[in-house]
Amino acid sequence: MLDTKNYFGTEDFKGYWHENKKIIYNKRPKESWQCMPIGTGKTGAVVFVPDEGICLQINHGGSFDSDGNLPALLRVNLEIDGKPFVDAKNYKQILSLEKGMVTICADTPDGIVKAEFIAHQELDVISIYIEDMRNNHGEVSICPLFWRQGVSQTFIDNMMFYTETNICSSFNEINFQSGVMNNNLSDPLKDLSYGTAVWVDKADSNNLPMKRVMSRKARILIAADSGKYSKDTLVKTLKNKIDRASTISLDKFRNSHFNWWKNFWARSEFELKKDSKLQPVRAIWHLNRYFTASSMAGQLPPKFNGSIFLYDYDRRHWGGAYWFQNTRLQYWPLFKCGDLDYIMPFFDMYINALEYAKERTLSLYGHKGAIYLETMHSWGGSRIGDSRNGKGVVNNYIKNYFTGSLELLMMMLEYYRYTQDSSFVTNKMLPVADEIILFFFTHFPIRDGKLFLEKSAALETWWEADNPSDQIAGLRAVIPKLINTAIKHGYDNSTINRWKNYLELLPELPRGANWFNKIVKKYNYQGYDGTWRKPETGNALMPAENVHHLNKRNYEDPELYALWPFGLFGKSLPDYSSALLTFNNRIHEEPSNGWSQTAVWAARLGLADETSKLLLKQYRYASVFPGGMMFSPGNIVPHRPDIPECGYFDTIGVMTTAINEMLLQDYTDQSEILPAWPKDEFVYFKLHSKSGKVVEKTYNPK
């Protein structure tokens, strides 16, 4: 087994994982990237402790600016006289996943100072409680900080409000660039208001905009919100949140919060022995569920790049648009973890954008059907720069990347398998499916009696690829399932018959293509040293039937999408040898990007030791944030080339999916328990399976 690090973070700042679902700091997190994240599901905060005192940066999942970016809202600095955290003899900061809280304890020469941070899910309010037990206790100064022009300040009693309103919008420009000229579309950005309220109990009302607390105990509440309403309505909404929370005693506030988390954790479980070499894997699984509950309760999905936990002001590499390839990885774990009550904002974003996608398809391609952009704003518009002047997509990475729409259907089908929600099928899934499938069979020609996906793309890695493996696998996976589901629900017969005809037109998955050996000889890509493995001829799956160039553009293995997410191959399915051959000869051996699915594929093949090894490698590579957020490629912190400017959440999502696949696989008619679990490792788990079934298992190695 691969040796791995036993902490989150870097050599110079470590967050130690404790088996009681905690991350522990033994020294003060002076820099913002060393923060600990908490969230209500809608409002997020990160906590770090520079020399000035405690700092929280507040984020909200709906606070989109006029260009469709998602900035942070506010920083709240809590300055305590005497700077006890700087002078502490002993310092301890704990993120308790089990209780959903952060605590700080500083032992100074004059006594102990404690701080507690709770993000209450039901009240959507963040609570801060500071207790100064020093002999000479100091005042607490609450100093909000904002850094953008246009922020409005309002002061009512013990509350401070910081609000913004988008007086203009890039909505029409984005639509023009995307090729959609519909003037009847509702602009979700213009007149959108967002902001933060800070309430301080028993505060000195002088010295605004700063508040002071004179006593040994200070209680502060923070609320954030967004919506299409006036500044006055936003202030009233924020005030109502604070008023409701401030009338609840601290003990009752804590108890209701802890009970909520107790019920959440009871949904599913994954436990190992204390000394297990897979403890980092257990930490990943629990952290992912923690982030699910802390960030996924909003009206829109959390961003994979930073979520509601930005720490460096507004810095969010990859922007405010949604990237399907990354966003979906946050949602696949919800099925087996029993957290499907968080998935509908993800589905609804695409469902609500269907008419936009249809209009865009007609405008750009001149035919019916719908396809979703890989990078799109919540209403369906293209990310700025990816499309131009209504003439089409100019970003070649995503120009012909169509697999995401098929995987969306796969996830919707999976949702039905798990919930048996017939209303979802008839009112949401099947209408979307009809348009997506229609796109493929109107966009591409029929050649020699088969659909020919000419000059499409195999994900973002192989451009201008004929019959890309990932798209064919997606069509072969979803169309039969759609037919069966539509028949069961009495759906339109003409649509069902059309899908049956389409099924006969599908090409086979490409295997053993000759162009691959040409690529081996000509390969010209950073990091290539001429030694990577080449697939054998025969039944190995290929990324595409043919490519019209020999340059690899990204770090993906599209031929293995037939294994997962589309489930055409696997441990319990025919032609296992071809799938194993394909996996063993993949180009990208290591999981060195946030979206790397290598460990999931190993699990689907039943390769227990290989899956464990890959997960531990991915953990070592990605766990650079001491507070549990993950690394993925992107811009870096200026003075730290090893730290990205925001945390990433596709990484931890795909790793959790791999863990779930090690424990339980149910993509066939039969469920298989522990299909890829190491024989020498104890495990207890409780996971969810199709049709609402709960699977619970304890395994003790002999």
Side-chain angles (χ1 to χ4, degrees):
M1 179 64 65
L2 178 76
D3 289 335
T4 191
K5 58 194 279 195
N6 62 351
Y7 57 88
F8 289 88
T10 59
E11 282 291 338
D12 59 320
F13 198 95
K14 300 176 181 179
Y16 292 98
W17 172 252
H18 190 275
E19 66 270 12
N20 290 338
K21 304 173 190 172
K22 296 175 181 177
I23 292 178
I24 300 173
Y25 293 176
N26 292 322
K27 64 179 181 178
R28 179 166 57 95
K30 301 177 185 179
E31 299 188 45
S32 59
W33 66 268
Q34 299 164 348
C35 62
M36 287 183 171
I38 57 172
T40 69
K42 301 174 183 177
T43 303
V46 296
V47 182
F48 58 102
V49 188
D51 288 350
E52 296 76 18
I54 300 169
C55 183
L56 285 83
Q57 180 161 306
I58 311 301
N59 304 263
H60 188 266
S63 59
F64 288 90
D65 67 14
S66 58
D67 291 325
N69 295 312
L70 189 61
L73 292 176
L74 190 73
R75 279 190 172 183
V76 179
N77 295 314
L78 309 174
E79 300 176 5
I80 305 175
D81 286 352
K83 297 185 176 181
F85 304 114
V86 175
D87 297 333
K89 297 181 296 182
N90 294 295
Y91 181 95
K92 191 172 290 292
Q93 183 168 325
I94 298 173
L95 168 60
S96 171
L97 307 185
E98 192 167 50
K99 293 185 175 182
M101 68 185 297
V102 169
T103 56
I104 296 173
C105 182
D107 185 0
T108 78
D110 194 35
I112 291 174
V113 178
K114 294 182 178 180
E116 166 193 286
F117 309 85
I118 288 176
H120 201 291
Q121 314 300 113
E122 295 170 308
L123 297 173
D124 190 23
V125 168
I126 295 170
S127 167
I128 306 164
Y129 180 69
I130 298 173
E131 188 172 7
D132 188 345
M133 293 175 281
R134 291 176 298 171
N135 294 323
N136 298 304
H137 73 87
E139 296 179 356
V140 180
S141 299
I142 296 89
C143 310
L145 169 67
F146 56 91
W147 51 91
R148 290 187 300 274
Q149 293 182 347
V151 176
S152 175
Q153 303 176 70
T154 305
F155 305 101
I156 302 175
D157 299 328
N158 283 354
M159 296 188 207
M160 300 176 282
F161 300 88
Y162 301 86
T163 59
E164 299 175 70
T165 300
N166 297 334
I167 59 175
C168 59
S169 164
S170 298
F171 179 73
N172 290 331
E173 176 63 21
I174 290 171
N175 294 339
F176 168 73
Q177 299 294 340
S178 302
V180 176
M181 310 300 180
N182 188 338
N183 293 324
N184 296 320
L185 293 172
S186 176
D187 185 343
L189 301 178
K190 189 175 185 298
D191 299 323
L192 180 70
S193 296
Y194 40 91
T196 311
V198 182
W199 172 87
V200 184
D201 191 20
K202 300 175 183 177
D204 175 7
S205 60
N206 298 318
N207 302 312
L208 292 174
M210 181 173 65
K211 298 276 188 180
R212 292 186 181 275
V213 177
M214 314 294 287
S215 66
R216 290 184 178 273
K217 299 178 181 180
R219 189 182 182 195
I220 300 122
L221 297 176
I222 299 174
D225 210 331
S226 63
K228 295 274 283 192
Y229 32 61
S230 68
K231 168 196 164 184
D232 290 344
T233 303
L234 174 60
V235 167
K236 183 178 179 181
T237 301
L238 291 168
K239 186 175 184 301
N240 288 340
K241 285 188 179 184
I242 296 289
D243 285 343
R244 182 184 176 195
S246 64
T247 60
I248 301 172
S249 70
L250 183 58
D251 285 341
K252 288 184 177 180
F253 187 96
R254 286 171 174 155
N255 289 337
S256 63
H257 173 77
F258 296 154
N259 285 335
W260 188 94
W261 277 100
K262 180 180 179 181
N263 292 331
F264 174 78
W265 287 115
R267 294 179 179 185
S268 55
E269 299 178 64
F270 171 49
E271 299 301 334
L272 304 173
K273 289 286 182 66
K274 179 179 178 180
D275 59 351
S276 171
K277 56 184 174 287
L278 294 179
Q279 271 295 334
V281 173
R282 177 175 173 266
I284 289 294
W285 189 91
H286 284 94
L287 271 166
N288 186 72
R289 290 206 66 219
Y290 172 78
F291 288 131
T292 295
S294 299
S295 67
M296 284 190 170
Q299 294 182 352
L300 289 169
K303 299 283 290 110
F304 84 95
N305 49 333
S307 187
I308 54 173
F309 307 114
L310 292 185
Y311 68 83
D312 194 9
Y313 298 98
D314 297 335
R315 296 184 65 180
R316 185 192 298 273
H317 190 59
W318 306 114
Y322 287 90
W323 301 61
F324 181 86
Q325 178 83 330
N326 308 85
T327 303
R328 47 120 192 183
L329 296 175
Q330 299 175 94
Y331 283 89
W332 273 110
L334 304 190
F335 294 98
K336 288 186 172 68
C337 289
D339 297 328
L340 284 176
D341 48 335
Y342 291 102
I343 204 170
M344 206 49 67
F346 173 68
F347 286 153
D348 282 345
M349 182 175 72
Y350 288 96
I351 292 165
N352 294 336
L354 179 62
E355 292 304 315
Y356 191 102
K358 289 168 61 176
E359 186 167 343
R360 178 184 160 276
T361 298
L362 185 62
S363 171
L364 297 185
Y365 304 120
H367 61 70
K368 294 182 178 180
I371 202 75
Y372 294 108
L373 285 160
E374 157 64 6
T375 55
M376 76 172 210
H377 290 282
S378 61
W379 67 90
S382 172
R383 185 179 72 134
I384 293 174
D386 285 350
S387 299
R388 190 170 299 157
N389 299 326
K391 304 296 185 182
V393 178
V394 295
N395 179 349
N396 286 321
Y397 280 93
I398 65 166
K399 182 177 181 179
N400 296 309
Y401 168 81
F402 302 138
T403 307
S405 296
L406 295 172
E407 187 171 352
L408 175 67
L409 295 182
M410 193 72 182
M411 297 178 79
M412 289 180 168
L413 286 160
E414 192 77 347
Y415 179 79
Y416 172 64
R417 276 207 323 140
Y418 271 67
T419 65
Q420 298 298 301
D421 185 344
S422 293
S423 175
F424 173 80
V425 168
T426 55
N427 297 324
K428 295 188 174 184
M429 183 185 78
L430 291 177
V432 172
D434 195 5
E435 298 296 339
I436 291 174
I437 301 304
L438 180 62
F439 171 87
F440 282 90
F441 286 87
T442 52
H443 189 73
F444 295 107
I446 304 298
R447 183 172 298 177
D448 297 327
K450 295 293 182 181
L451 181 70
F452 184 61
L453 287 77
E454 185 176 17
K455 290 189 176 181
S456 190
L459 299 177
E460 295 183 16
T461 297
W462 304 106
W463 301 352
E464 294 189 359
D466 296 333
N467 281 349
S469 180
D470 50 308
Q471 292 181 33
I472 294 173
L475 290 165
R476 284 191 162 274
V478 303
I479 292 178
K481 290 179 170 62
L482 288 171
I483 292 171
N484 293 336
T485 306
I487 291 172
K488 182 177 179 179
H489 288 82
Y491 200 62
D492 177 58
N493 280 329
S494 63
T495 301
I496 294 171
N497 290 331
R498 178 159 43 86
W499 287 348
K500 288 180 177 179
N501 291 333
Y502 289 163
L503 193 58
E504 298 299 317
L505 295 173
L506 290 180
E508 297 295 327
L509 287 165
R511 297 173 184 256
N514 293 328
W515 64 265
F516 207 88
N517 288 326
K518 297 177 184 177
I519 290 173
V520 172
K521 295 177 182 177
K522 189 178 177 179
Y523 195 73
N524 181 21
Y525 190 76
Q526 184 178 2
Y528 171 57
D529 61 4
T531 62
W532 51 281
R533 296 173 295 178
K534 304 177 289 295
E536 301 171 13
T537 58
N539 287 328
L541 300 173
M542 292 292 116
E545 183 179 307
N546 182 49
V547 290
H548 294 267
H549 65 81
L550 299 178
N551 292 320
K552 186 175 78 69
R553 298 292 186 173
N554 210 331
Y555 198 96
E556 300 160 322
D557 296 287
E559 65 275 19
L560 285 164
Y561 273 54
L563 183 60
W564 186 89
F566 294 123
L568 299 179
F569 296 86
K571 182 173 182 286
S572 303
L573 291 175
D575 205 5
Y576 174 83
S577 60
S578 292
L580 182 61
L581 179 64
T582 305
F583 176 80
N584 286 338
N585 291 282
R586 65 195 182 278
I587 296 177
H588 308 107
E589 297 179 42
E590 304 299 329
S592 59
N593 288 287
W595 58 86
S596 296
Q597 298 153 200
T598 321
V600 183
W601 296 325
R604 276 288 175 99
L605 290 167
L607 306 176
D609 292 339
E610 180 77 3
T611 307
S612 300
K613 178 181 177 181
L614 289 165
L615 281 171
L616 291 174
K617 281 186 176 182
Q618 197 159 8
Y619 167 81
R620 173 180 284 277
Y621 151 80
S623 58
V624 298
F625 288 99
M629 296 189 290
M630 293 285 137
F631 177 91
S632 197
N635 288 348
I636 58 173
V637 175
H639 61 289
R640 288 299 301 247
D642 54 338
I643 305 296
E645 68 181 18
C646 63
Y648 289 88
F649 297 86
D650 52 347
T651 313
I652 199 166
V654 74
M655 293 175 73
T656 302
T657 298
I659 296 165
N660 287 342
E661 292 295 322
M662 295 174 78
L663 301 171
L664 175 66
Q665 294 182 16
D666 60 358
Y667 60 95
T668 65
D669 291 338
Q670 302 296 321
S671 296
E672 190 168 357
I673 297 173
L674 301 178
W677 188 254
K679 293 181 179 180
D680 60 344
E681 284 283 346
F682 167 89
V683 67
Y684 162 74
F685 74 85
K686 181 173 77 172
L687 294 177
H688 295 247
S689 186
K690 54 194 175 186
S691 301
K693 182 180 178 182
V694 176
V695 178
E696 194 169 4
K697 175 71 175 180
T698 299
Y699 169 72
N700 271 303
K702 296 180 180 179

